Amino acid sequence: MKKYIVATAISAALALCSCNDFLDRAPDLNLDEEKVFSDYETAYKYHADIYSSLKKGFNVLGSFQPVPLACASDEAEASDGWHSSNELNIGSYDGVDNVLDNNYIGIRKANTFLSKADMIPFPDEETRTRMLGEVYFLRAFYFHEIVKRYGGMPILNDIILSPNDNLNLPRNSYSECVSAIVSDLDRAAEMLPVTFDEANLGRPTKGAALALKARVLLYAASPVWDKEITSADKWALAAQAALDVINLKNGGADAYSLYNTGAGATDYEQQFFVRPPENPEVIFFYNDLPQGFDSEEISVWAPSGEGYMGKGSIWPTQNFVDMYEMANGKSITDPTSGYDEEKPYENRDPRFYKTIIYNGSVWQDITAETYVGGKHRLKLTNCRTGYFVRKYLPEVVKSNSSVKSYHNWQYIRLAEVYLNYAEAINEAEGPAKAYRYVNAIRTRSGMPELPAGLSQTEMRERIRHERAIELAFEDHRWWDVRRWNEGEKYFNGPFYGMQISKEADGTFSMVRVVFENRIYSSKMNLYPIPTTELDKNSSYVQNPGW
C-alpha cells in the first residue's frame, strides 16, 4: 500500500485535538500505512482523525454560510447575504455549493482503519473492541448524513478507492443504504460501552448507536419513502429501536432521563449548557471547550443592536411563532384559548420564552426593542421578522466579556428519542403508548398533558407539532417536514414577520406582514447532486426534478 495518510487528514486531526478532551496532540503522521498502523500511538491518532468529519454545530444548506437549515424551513429567515437558504426559499437554488466530500472522507478513513485493524497492536481486547465499535458508528453516522440529503448513494463500506480505480460507481437504492447503516449500528451497539469516563466524553456509546439506528429507521418508515420501504412492520421496527434506547440500563438504573431538576422551562433552556454526566438527557454530543462570545456558534445567533452586538443572522418567522400554544395547551387559533392579538406574547407555552427573543422580552438584562426604529431594529433590514433566537445562547456569555460557557452541540438527546418512539408506535399501533412520552416532554417544561381520547390522526398531528416546538432550531424541522412529504404545506407560500410600531403614548401596534413568498416543490425533498459530482461520476443519476 502507498502513502494514503495525506496532509489534509493530519491537519484535521490536529484541529480536532484542540477541542476534545480525549485527544492528545498528534505526532508527525507523514508515514506510510504500515508504519502508522503497526504502532498503537500513531494508529490511535489516525482513529481520532476519523472524528474530524463531524460538524461541531448546525448543518447548513451549502458550503458558503454558517447559518442553520432552520433558515430554509418555516422556523426562520437568514439575514441578507446568507445565500443558499435564501436561494432555496425563492426557488433559485441549484446545489452548486453542496459538497459530498466531507462525509465520504470520514467514511474512507473509517474503511482504512477497519482494513488495518489486524495490524494494530492494541493494548488489550477491550480497547480493540471499543475502538472498532466507534469506527462502525462513525461510518454509519457519516453515511446517514449523505443518504438523508440525497437518497440512495454508492455504498462504500470496506471499499478504499484510489485515484486510479474506477470511480464510476452507480447509486445504491435507499433501502440498501438503510440496511448498510443499520448493520453498522447493530455491530457498533454490540461493541460499545454504555458510558465513558470524563476523559472520554464525546465518544459514541451503545446508546448513541441504538439512538441513531432509531432515527434512521424512523426516517425510512416515513411517507416520503413509501414507494421504496414497503414492509408492513417498518413503523414497528422504528418503535422498537427507540424503545431499546429508552429501556437501556446503566447498572440497574436507566441510562438516560430527561434533564429535570424541577425548574420547568428553565431546565429545557439550561440542559443545552450542561454536559454528561450532570445532564442525563444527552446521548451523543460534540464535547467542546467552553466558548466565548466571539465563537461563531454564539455570535451568529446572538441578537444584533445596542447591548447585544451579535450578528443577528437568524430571525424566527411569525409562521413559527404562531405554532406555540397557549400555556393552557390550546392553539392560538382556538377561540377559547385566551389568545389576545394585542398581547400576543402573554401566556404562551413556557418554551416560547426560552426560545424566542421578542419585543419587550428581557435577555442579558436588556429589554429587546424589535419595533421599527427600536435599538435592535433600527430599520426593517436589521430584523425582517421582528424576532431573534434565544435558544442555545448562554445568558452569561456577553459581548466585550471574557466569560465562557459550555455550548455543546447535541447530535442526539433523549427528548428526540421519546418523540421518535411516540411517532413510530402511533403509526404501528395507535395512540395509547405514545401519550406517556409526549406528556413527559410537555410536563418537564410546564405544559399540560395531551387530551385523552385522541385518534391516530389527531395524535400524529400532535406529535408533529411537539417535535416542532421541543426540537426547535435543533436541526430537525427541515428533515422532518421533508420526510413527511409536507414541504409544500409548511415551506411554501407567504411567510410573515411582525411589524411593530411604537405609538406616541408608548403602546405598540402590531401587524403581520408578508416579508417573502417562498417556493417549495416536491423535488426539494431530496438535494440535487452537485454538478461537480455528476461530472466526476458518469454513473450518477440526478435526483428527480433537478
Side-chain angles (χ1 to χ4, degrees):
M1 297 295 290
K2 303 298 182 183
K3 294 181 180 178
Y4 294 132
I5 312 300
V6 295
T8 54
I10 299 168
S11 62
L14 294 177
L16 189 64
C17 288
S18 68
C19 57
N20 279 270
D21 294 346
F22 59 82
L23 300 180
D24 299 314
R25 187 172 179 83
D28 180 12
L29 294 185
N30 191 21
L31 308 169
D32 63 38
E33 288 182 344
E34 183 175 355
K35 291 181 179 178
V36 168
F37 293 107
S38 61
D39 178 81
Y40 176 68
E41 182 181 0
T42 52
Y44 179 89
K45 300 304 176 183
Y46 188 92
H47 181 272
D49 181 49
I50 303 172
Y51 283 83
S52 65
S53 290
L54 285 175
K55 291 183 65 63
K56 59 177 279 186
F58 303 89
N59 281 305
V60 296
L61 190 62
S63 58
F64 297 156
Q65 58 177 3
V67 296
L69 282 174
C71 298
S73 77
D74 55 355
E75 289 177 312
E77 170 74 353
S79 60
D80 293 340
W82 306 109
H83 304 291
S84 297
S85 60
N86 287 343
E87 288 176 357
L88 185 109
N89 291 338
I90 62 174
S92 63
Y93 183 67
D94 58 11
V96 139
D97 64 326
N98 259 330
V99 290
L100 288 169
D101 292 353
N102 203 46
N103 288 306
Y104 270 128
I105 287 172
I107 290 170
R108 189 182 190 283
K109 292 174 186 175
N111 288 342
T112 300
F113 188 88
L114 293 171
S115 73
K116 303 299 179 184
D118 290 342
M119 184 188 300
I120 301 171
F122 294 99
D124 50 63
E125 187 61 27
E126 181 181 348
T127 301
R128 180 184 189 275
T129 299
R130 186 260 299 165
M131 290 179 69
L132 292 179
E134 292 175 50
V135 176
Y136 284 118
F137 173 88
L138 291 170
R139 185 168 73 177
F141 189 97
Y142 295 140
F143 198 36
H144 176 57
E145 288 298 306
I146 293 170
V147 170
K148 74 180 183 181
R149 287 165 170 77
Y150 300 98
M153 294 293 283
I155 299 172
L156 299 184
N157 289 4
D158 305 321
I159 298 175
I160 305 170
L161 294 173
S162 300
N164 295 328
D165 292 339
N166 176 20
L167 304 180
N168 291 317
L169 300 177
R171 299 175 66 176
N172 288 87
S173 69
Y174 178 78
S175 178
E176 290 169 336
C177 293
V178 169
S179 294
I181 294 168
V182 169
S183 176
D184 269 356
L185 292 172
D186 283 340
R187 194 177 310 186
E190 290 296 319
M191 304 174 83
L192 292 170
V194 176
T195 60
F196 278 108
D197 58 23
E198 177 74 21
N200 288 283
L201 289 179
R203 295 185 187 275
T205 59
K206 180 183 184 74
L210 294 174
L212 182 57
K213 174 183 174 180
R215 182 190 290 177
V216 169
L217 290 176
L218 182 77
Y219 278 39
S222 298
V224 76
W225 295 112
D226 276 349
K227 292 182 179 179
E228 183 159 352
I229 309 294
T230 58
S231 56
D233 62 347
K234 61 182 180 180
W235 287 110
L237 290 172
Q240 184 59 53
L243 195 61
D244 289 343
V245 183
I246 295 168
N247 291 337
L248 184 65
K249 301 297 181 183
N250 179 23
D254 290 340
Y256 306 104
S257 59
L258 295 181
Y259 183 74
N260 192 355
T261 69
T266 298
D267 286 339
Y268 172 72
E269 177 180 42
Q270 290 300 313
Q271 72 95 13
F272 295 103
F273 314 130
V274 181
R275 302 188 305 164
E278 289 77 15
N279 184 352
E281 186 167 343
V282 179
I283 296 176
F284 184 48
F285 74 117
Y286 193 97
N287 185 26
D288 211 350
L289 297 173
Q291 298 184 52
F293 190 82
D294 58 347
S295 82
E296 188 172 89
E297 286 299 304
I298 293 178
S299 63
V300 165
W301 290 77
S304 57
E306 183 179 326
Y308 294 143
M309 304 306 294
K311 295 178 182 177
S313 299
I314 300 100
W315 308 322
T317 68
Q318 188 65 49
N319 304 51
F320 196 72
V321 167
D322 286 345
M323 292 181 68
Y324 282 86
E325 297 172 348
M326 300 297 288
N328 58 20
K330 296 181 179 182
S331 168
I332 67 169
T333 60
D334 185 334
T336 68
S337 68
Y339 178 72
D340 186 344
E341 285 279 1
E342 295 184 0
K343 300 176 182 178
Y345 310 126
E346 291 188 0
N347 302 316
R348 302 294 288 272
D349 183 327
R351 290 170 292 187
F352 169 75
Y353 304 106
K354 303 300 183 182
T355 306
I356 308 293
I357 292 174
Y358 57 91
N359 187 59
S361 62
V362 178
W363 185 67
Q364 294 192 339
D365 299 321
I366 299 170
T367 299
E369 295 183 2
T370 61
Y371 59 87
V372 179
K375 59 187 178 184
H376 305 117
R377 198 182 187 186
L378 293 174
K379 52 186 179 180
L380 284 174
T381 53
N382 291 140
C383 180
R384 295 175 71 188
T385 68
Y387 304 102
F388 294 105
V389 177
R390 170 173 173 158
K391 192 172 182 178
Y392 305 122
L393 299 179
E395 196 151 2
V396 297
V397 178
K398 303 179 181 181
S399 61
N400 301 318
S401 168
S402 61
V403 175
K404 296 184 178 182
S405 171
Y406 282 106
H407 180 258
N408 299 307
W409 174 245
Q410 298 176 13
Y411 300 106
I412 311 173
R413 63 183 178 101
L414 185 62
E416 180 209 341
V417 177
Y418 277 6
L419 291 168
N420 290 352
Y421 175 75
E423 180 178 345
I425 201 66
N426 181 58
E427 299 298 336
E429 299 181 11
K433 295 178 182 177
Y435 274 98
R436 173 183 176 183
Y437 297 98
V438 180
N439 286 338
I441 290 169
R442 290 172 67 84
T443 55
R444 187 260 297 267
S445 292
M447 284 295 286
E449 295 185 347
L450 296 178
L454 295 175
S455 68
Q456 184 184 53
T457 300
E458 290 170 333
M459 178 60 84
R460 179 184 302 126
E461 292 307 309
R462 297 302 292 256
I463 292 169
R464 290 181 177 185
H465 178 269
E466 199 63 29
R467 288 185 71 91
I469 299 304
E470 175 69 20
L471 305 178
F473 302 103
E474 292 182 46
D475 233 6
H476 288 283
R477 180 68 174 168
W478 170 248
W479 309 110
D480 281 346
V481 170
R482 292 162 78 241
R483 68 181 177 83
W484 295 329
N485 202 20
E486 294 279 3
E488 293 180 66
K489 175 180 177 180
Y490 291 106
F491 298 167
N492 202 41
F495 270 68
Y496 295 88
M498 186 67 84
Q499 185 163 311
I500 308 167
S501 302
K502 187 173 184 178
E503 307 299 337
D505 62 359
T507 60
F508 296 97
S509 61
M510 290 173 277
V511 180
R512 287 174 173 78
V513 294
V514 176
F515 70 83
E516 185 172 63
N517 279 291
R518 294 187 178 178
I519 300 171
Y520 193 96
S521 62
S522 60
K523 74 174 186 179
M524 298 177 186
N525 288 337
L526 294 176
Y527 282 23
I529 295 177
T531 305
T532 53
E533 299 296 330
L534 293 172
D535 291 341
K536 294 175 190 175
N537 186 344
S538 60
S539 295
Y540 273 165
V541 177
Q542 181 60 280
N543 279 325
W546 293 100

